[in-house]
């Protein structure tokens, strides 16, 4: 069975400076891959990095994003694959909102820089 995930019905989670829109995930019919969209406010910088236990891919669809601390600024059309275990700290150095699609293997877990284990966030469950 094919599962259609309607953008208007997808779960949205708001964190300071970042909105997550859950797309493919185990709870929405995808057992092996998770995808979501992020929208990042201009000037936003993550206050703490985190690490994942799987590779994560970001594909920028508008604006500018920096995904890793001291990483290159990505622009519309750019993509980056962040290897498992590398720190991630999303920032939008631009003056306009930025958006990206994100893809990762289902069942991943996240750990904050301070050692707090987050597990799998709600938009990827």
């Amino acid at each position: 069975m094919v599962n259609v995930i309607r953008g208007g019905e997808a779960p949205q989670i708001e964190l300071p400076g970042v909105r997550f829109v859950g797309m493919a995930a185990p709870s929405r019919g995808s057992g092996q891959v998770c995808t979501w969209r992020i929208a990042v406010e201009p000037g936003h910088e993550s206050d703490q990095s985190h690490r994942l236990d799987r590779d994560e891919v970001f594909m920028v669809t508008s604006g500018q994003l920096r995904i890793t601390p001291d990483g290159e600024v990505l622009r519309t059309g750019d993509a980056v694959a962040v290897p498992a275990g590398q720190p991630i700290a999303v920032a939008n150095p631009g003056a306009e909102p930025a958006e990206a699609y994100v893809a990762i293997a289902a069942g991943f877990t996240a750990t904050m820089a301070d050692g707090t284990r987050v597990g799998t966030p709600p938009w990827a469950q």
Side-chain angles (χ1 to χ4, degrees):
M1 176 179 183
V2 174
N3 290 304
V4 175
I5 302 150
R6 304 273 180 212
E9 298 168 3
Q12 295 190 29
I13 291 87
E14 298 275 343
L15 295 178
V18 184
R19 182 180 70 247
F20 297 82
V21 180
M23 301 304 286
S27 67
R28 293 180 291 283
S30 178
Q32 297 183 26
V33 178
C34 291
T35 64
W36 58 88
R37 292 189 318 258
I38 60 170
V40 183
E41 293 178 4
H44 172 77
E45 290 195 33
S46 296
D47 58 355
Q48 182 178 182
S49 67
H50 64 280
R51 296 173 192 267
L52 303 176
D53 64 349
R54 310 277 170 84
D55 296 353
E56 185 174 32
V57 177
F58 292 79
M59 297 157 279
V60 180
T61 57
S62 66
Q64 301 178 41
L65 288 173
R66 188 176 59 247
I67 305 301
T68 60
D70 301 321
E72 292 185 45
V73 173
L74 306 172
R75 292 174 171 68
T76 303
D78 292 344
V80 64
V82 181
Q86 294 296 309
I88 296 170
V90 174
N92 177 355
E96 301 293 326
E99 294 188 356
Y101 279 97
V102 182
I104 191 169
F108 72 94
T109 59
T111 304
M112 301 304 293
D114 67 5
T116 303
R117 187 174 182 276
V118 177
T120 303
W123 54 86
Q125 295 179 7

